[in-house]
Amino acid sequence: MKRITTERLTIAEANDLLDVDMEPGFWEALISLISYPELSFEPATQSVAFPSYVPFRELAKEWIEGLETGIYEIRLCEHCATYCDLNRTDGIWAIPDKLEGFICMPCAERMSAREYFEKYLA
């Protein structure tokens, strides 16, 4: 009988495993997007945790390839610096015709028109 253990990868180990160079915030967003029940990001230890039977490498590789080919698109919110999946997250653009300066909807709703103008349009 095989014993199931909890695997933990630091950000450096996850980057090495998948031959990428991503920061902890990106990994946290990616794990959330993968949405696999037993896969989690632990902010306190800045690590990825999963039971040994979860195919982490394959799941993450599929999403990273999807990001590289444009199937998925993750952008940083210009206001709060949170990674957002543009296919799932509502928001506004500081420069809409160029699709630049993404601002997530929670930030956009808290921001006054004056603050928006001063930060992103002036």
Side-chain angles (χ1 to χ4, degrees), residues 18-80:
L18 292 152
D19 197 29
V20 295
D21 185 22
M22 305 297 181
E23 63 184 56
F26 176 85
W27 279 106
E28 185 172 13
L30 184 66
I31 298 304
S32 173
L33 294 174
I34 292 173
S35 192
Y36 196 89
E38 292 93 358
L39 182 59
S40 65
F41 181 82
E42 297 177 343
T45 59
Q46 300 282 291
S47 62
V48 178
F50 52 93
S52 55
Y53 61 84
V54 172
F56 169 72
R57 183 178 187 282
E58 290 76 13
L59 290 169
K61 184 177 180 180
E62 179 183 329
W63 275 85
I64 290 170
E65 287 174 358
L67 290 167
E68 290 170 351
T69 60
I71 295 171
Y72 310 113
E73 190 168 0
I74 295 178
R75 297 264 185 112
L76 274 175
C77 171
E78 294 288 322
H79 194 72
C80 68

Side-chain angles (χ1 to χ4, degrees), residues 84-98:
C84 302
D85 174 6
L86 297 187
N87 295 321
R88 296 182 187 176
T89 307
D90 290 332
I92 60 175
W93 298 95
I95 307 170
D97 56 331
K98 294 183 180 179

Side-chain angles (χ1 to χ4, degrees), residues 2-33:
K2 201 169 193 180
R3 183 179 168 155
I4 297 171
T5 60
T6 299
E7 305 287 329
R8 282 191 174 68
L9 298 175
T10 65
I11 298 306
E13 291 169 335
N15 281 336
D16 288 344
L17 180 66
L18 292 152
D19 197 29
V20 295
D21 185 22
M22 305 297 181
E23 63 184 56
F26 176 85
W27 279 106
E28 185 172 13
L30 184 66
I31 298 304
S32 173
L33 294 174

